[in-house]
Each structure stands twice: as C-alpha cells, then as structure tokens.
Amino acid sequence: MKKKVLLFFIVSFTIVFLVMNDYCLYNTPIGKITSTKDNLTETKTGYDGNHEYKEKYYNQEISATIMNGEYKGQTIFLTNNYTFSGAYDTKYSKGDRVFVESITEENGTLTGKLTGAKRDYIVAFILTFLFGLFLLVGGKSGIMTILSLGINLITFYIVLVLYKNGTNILLASIPMSIIFTCLLLFFMYGRGEKTWLSLIATLISVGITTLIAFGTMELAVPMDWDFMDYLNQPYDQADAGYIFMAELLIGCLGAVTDVVVTIVITVDQIVTANPQASKKSLLQSCRNVGDDIVGTMINVMFLTNIAASIPFFILSMRNGISMLTIIKYNVSFELVRFLCGSIGVVLAIPISALVATYFYKRQVKINVNN
C-alpha cells in the first residue's frame, strides 16, 4: 500500500509539472510574471443602508517573460486593475502564468493586454488527485467509475454539439440522461437484477419529476429568463425554457439514483434474509429507510444549488440590495432546481419501493411454485 501511495504522489506531481510547463501546446502567448508593483489609485465610499464602507482600487504594473510563440524569452510589460475585495477582478502575483494578447513592440519594449490566468495545472492536479483516490480506495470499482465518467463527458459533449447545430436541447438531454443512468449503474453494479430495478425506478422517478416541473411552468406565470446565467443574448423564450428544463432533468438525476439504489438494495437484503417477508413489511422497511435518508439528500440538494449563491448574497446585500430582490431576480432559478430535486428524491422512495417489492415478491412466488 505504501508503494501505491508513493507512486500516486509521484505521478500526480509529474502530471502537474508537465501541465504547468505545456506552453508549446497553446497558440495564445503565455507570460510568467516575474515582478509586480501595486499602486493605490483611488478609494470609493459606499453605503449599504447600515454603515459606510470603503473600497480600494489598485493598478498593477507587471513584468512577465513570454514562454511561447514568436516573442519567447522576451520580457513584456502589462497592466492590471483590481479592487481590494476582488469581487469581479483578480490580483496577480509573482510566478503566476497569464495569457497575453495584442502584443505590440515599440522601441524594443513589448507591451500587451493581460486577458486572464492560466489555470489548467490546477484542474490537472484536482483531477489527478480525484482519480488517484478512486484507484487507491475503490480499486476495480474506482476504474469503472473513472471509465463511466469519461464516457459521460463524451456524451455530454456530443449533446452540446448537437444543440449548437440546432437540435432541441431538451430532446437531446432525455437520451443523455438515460445513458448517464445506465452507465453509472452498470459500471458500478454490473448486470444484475438490482441494476435493472434501479434503472427502471430512476427513470420513472425522474420522468414524473420532469413532467411535474413542465406542467407547473406551463400553468404558472412565465418566468423571466433575463437573469438566467450564461444565456445567449438575444434569446428565444422557448429555447430558454428548454434549456432550464434540461437543467432540471439532469440536476435531479444523481440524487434520485442514489436514493433508488439504497431502497432497492434494502429490499434485496430483506428478501434474501427472509423470503417470506410480506409486502406490507417490505414497504414499511423502505419507508423507515427513506425517512432516514430523505432529510440528508434534500439538504444535499439545497447546499448544491444554493451554496454557489452565498457570495452573491453577501456582495449584493453589502451594496444595499434587499434579500427579496435577490431571491426574486437572481436566485429564483437555484430555488426551482432545489425544489424539483427535492420532489424527485421524495418520489424516488415510494416508486423504487413498489418496483423492488413487486419484483422480489414475484420472484419468491415463482421459486416456491417451482
């Protein structure tokens, strides 16, 4: 085990080192910052209804060495503006890798426009660490998880390409969700009965949840899509609705699958230990298990959908925007995702219990008759 852990760290740091220095793979010039000088330019006073606060604005004079392209090895001078809070901008430090555009040369001095930081090595480190833990802890199961994740990413990319070429995003997301569920269950649990039952119960639960969401959206007051993140402008109302429905469909898939697998395995274990268990006792056992997990899963859905909005809440309220305004215009979509996911989790318990109970009791009956 010690050798495996040592190999894991060696491979991880090797990959990160290679990605940090993969400048030759980029067409855009990349600069490695060698020095920075920060100058305070102004201080603005704001008021949020309770007290005044001051925001400091800085200008950075940056020197960097070009690491690739036509000007490789030469020094370039850049500028960057940032605030003390760093809400919408970035402060750069010595050693950071940054992308540079619009390079000009005047009297032997290079200047350019800094467009952002090179962060691929951070992503490489996280993925390497994650996959390494999968392999160390999960073994064969970890390999299957990585393989299913890779195929899911490819499938997701294909759906995005189809959407870009004019395919309805919601219609494309339905088979994608089925593929996601199949890959997850079959790679993790094989081709046994539990896998098929979990697949059927998951698809039924997610399908009913999506229909409830679709019906509610059709009957309710039309949503204002102007505040939905990353929506192309100008947008089509119907297309925005399809995109949001696709988000709801995929968003509740993971939590529903988790709940379904738990209930199906519960019924399987009970029937294995006591084949004569009645349907009523099986359903009651599933209800008890569901009572134990539903609270946790709903909190997971809440934290998953709302956590990303916490910084926005703080920043907005700090600038005098009321919480009701934030919820109405900026967080409403996260709340809808949370509610739909919670509905799916709750529905998954009785649906998976009924599907599993019916199948296993039918199997017991067939075995007795034979």
Side-chain angles (χ1 to χ4, degrees), residues 17-63:
F17 176 79
L18 292 175
V19 176
M20 286 182 68
N21 297 278
D22 61 351
Y23 308 111
C24 61
L25 301 179
Y26 287 87
N27 294 323
T28 302
I30 298 173
K32 183 177 180 180
I33 296 178
T34 55
S35 66
T36 62
K37 181 181 179 182
D38 297 6
N39 303 305
L40 178 63
T41 56
E42 61 178 325
T43 300
K44 293 183 179 180
T45 301
Y47 187 75
D48 65 0
N50 296 316
H51 56 272
E52 292 185 351
Y53 64 94
K54 294 182 178 180
E55 176 72 289
K56 296 180 179 179
Y57 290 76
Y58 294 88
N59 173 265
Q60 277 189 307
E61 298 176 10
I62 299 174
S63 298

Side-chain angles (χ1 to χ4, degrees), residues 21-32 65-74 98-100 103 118:
N21 297 278
D22 61 351
Y23 308 111
C24 61
L25 301 179
Y26 287 87
N27 294 323
T28 302
I30 298 173
K32 183 177 180 180
T65 301
I66 300 296
M67 307 302 293
N68 63 331
E70 178 184 355
Y71 301 100
K72 181 179 179 180
Q74 298 186 45
V98 294
F99 292 105
V100 181
I103 298 177
K118 179 179 183 289

Side-chain angles (χ1 to χ4, degrees), residues 259-270:
V259 172
V260 166
V261 170
T262 301
I263 297 298
V264 170
I265 291 178
T266 298
V267 176
D268 176 70
Q269 295 296 319
I270 294 174

Side-chain angles (χ1 to χ4, degrees), residues 144-155:
M144 293 296 101
T145 301
I146 295 173
L147 184 59
S148 65
L149 179 61
I151 299 176
N152 283 341
L153 288 174
I154 294 173
T155 305

Side-chain angles (χ1 to χ4, degrees), residues 152-174:
N152 283 341
L153 288 174
I154 294 173
T155 305
F156 182 65
Y157 174 76
I158 293 173
V159 169
L160 293 180
V161 172
L162 291 175
Y163 171 67
K164 184 179 179 181
N165 293 331
T167 303
N168 185 298
I169 186 66
L170 181 58
L171 294 180
S173 297
I174 293 174

